Amino acid sequence: MITSKPRRLAVISDIHGNLHALDAVLAQIDEIRPDMTICLGDVVGYGAFPNECIQRLRDRSIINLAGNHDHAAIGLTDITYFNDIAKAALEWTREQLAPDNIAWLKRCPFTCEIDDFFFVHASPNDPSSWGYILTFGDARVAFTQFSQRFGFVGHSHQPSLVQLTGEELTCPDDLHDPIRIKMGPRYLINAGSVGQPRDRNPQACFVVVDLDTAMITFNRVDYDVEAAQNAIRLMGLPEELAVRLEYGW
């Protein structure tokens, strides 16, 4: 466990090689000035800039967790269960990755614990199996797998927050406004996706938890979608990967 105790924490996830989105998010994070920024994995896959996105994280010494696309791109996860579009992007990504970035991805852990925060890419229930948390039932199981007050996941590309109070699970009505942190509950937070949102909002997404103001904020950031699309097309990646960025789906 890392012993530092951040009071304001920025959490990003699922960059997927989208450098334009990542740069826009990092610029906003610079304005927020958190004590720490952490990435929940899937830095690569789908987008046109795998090495550049990795380098951004490395330059800033941002902790990154292992994601299923990261592991697939470096041969640590079988890609046979991926759809044809994801496979094509991963095969292209494998050919692009620099040796030092492959080594960096191999060193990324499945989970991380920092004070009262727990982080994982997919589910805390067997992180290497890449399970999704999509239902209250999934969330209830997930809460049993970590002891910290705040748990963070990515993987589904859909921002969400589940609050556990006693045995009761609840979700906020919407995520547009900051969510006040209450004294008793525990929280399971999906940070959404920087590079390929799938909640029908094409803006990049990341989360900030501020213990001093007792607020959890889901931040949405505009970026140059057209430039990201053009880069995908220029590299000969599947057209669907470019089109879906317009729609956040």
Side-chain angles (χ1 to χ4, degrees):
M1 177 184 288
I2 296 172
T3 57
S4 59
K5 297 182 178 182
R7 300 294 296 174
R8 183 185 297 142
L9 178 73
V11 183
I12 63 177
S13 189
D14 294 276
I15 299 163
H16 283 293
N18 188 336
L19 185 64
H20 296 86
L22 177 59
D23 281 344
V25 164
L26 292 176
Q28 185 157 326
I29 288 174
D30 286 343
E31 294 181 6
I32 295 170
R33 299 177 66 185
D35 301 320
M36 180 178 291
T37 301
I38 188 165
C39 180
L40 303 181
D42 273 4
V43 184
V44 304
Y46 299 133
F49 299 99
N51 287 301
E52 293 84 350
C53 288
I54 290 172
Q55 197 60 49
R56 291 289 193 275
L57 301 189
R58 294 181 66 183
D59 288 345
R60 291 169 173 254
S61 299
I62 292 174
I63 296 169
N64 180 65
L65 303 185
N68 58 314
H69 282 255
D70 300 331
H71 267 211
I74 58 176
L76 296 181
T77 289
D78 185 2
I79 69 170
T80 57
Y81 78 95
F82 285 79
N83 63 51
D84 289 343
I85 291 171
K87 285 180 185 176
L90 284 167
E91 289 166 355
W92 177 86
T93 299
R94 283 179 178 177
E95 296 176 357
Q96 307 304 314
L97 284 173
D100 59 327
N101 286 334
I102 292 173
W104 182 83
L105 287 174
K106 286 182 176 179
R107 292 193 299 270
C108 294
F110 283 106
T111 65
C112 180
E113 300 176 34
I114 301 173
D115 194 40
D116 213 11
F117 303 108
F118 174 86
F119 308 90
V120 65
H121 176 69
S123 170
N125 182 25
D126 190 8
S128 64
S129 68
W130 313 117
Y132 287 91
I133 300 173
L134 300 174
T135 68
F136 267 177
D138 297 334
R140 190 174 294 279
V141 172
F143 273 113
T144 69
Q145 302 302 304
F146 65 95
S147 60
Q148 290 80 3
R149 189 178 178 196
F150 301 91
F152 296 88
V153 300
H155 196 37
S156 72
H157 299 211
Q158 297 182 17
S160 65
L161 182 147
V162 181
Q163 177 178 301
L164 176 64
T165 308
E167 294 298 317
E168 181 183 10
L169 295 175
T170 57
C171 291
D173 292 333
D174 66 67
L175 303 177
H176 293 96
D177 296 323
I179 298 155
R180 181 163 294 281
I181 299 169
K182 300 177 182 177
M183 288 299 296
R186 297 172 66 209
Y187 297 90
L188 181 64
I189 301 163
N190 190 306
S193 173
V194 169
Q196 195 183 97
R198 293 180 185 166
D199 60 337
R200 294 187 171 89
N201 182 342
Q203 293 174 303
C205 183
F206 72 99
V207 172
V208 172
V209 175
D210 192 325
L211 298 182
D212 291 328
T213 62
M215 290 293 181
I216 300 168
T217 305
F218 288 81
N219 297 270
R220 303 308 291 246
V221 184
D222 290 320
Y223 73 95
D224 192 341
V225 172
E226 184 176 359
Q229 292 176 308
N230 289 340
I232 286 171
R233 292 174 175 128
L234 182 64
M235 296 300 173
L237 289 161
E239 174 66 12
E240 182 176 323
L241 297 177
V243 173
R244 71 190 307 175
L245 295 180
E246 291 182 46
Y247 303 102
W249 191 245

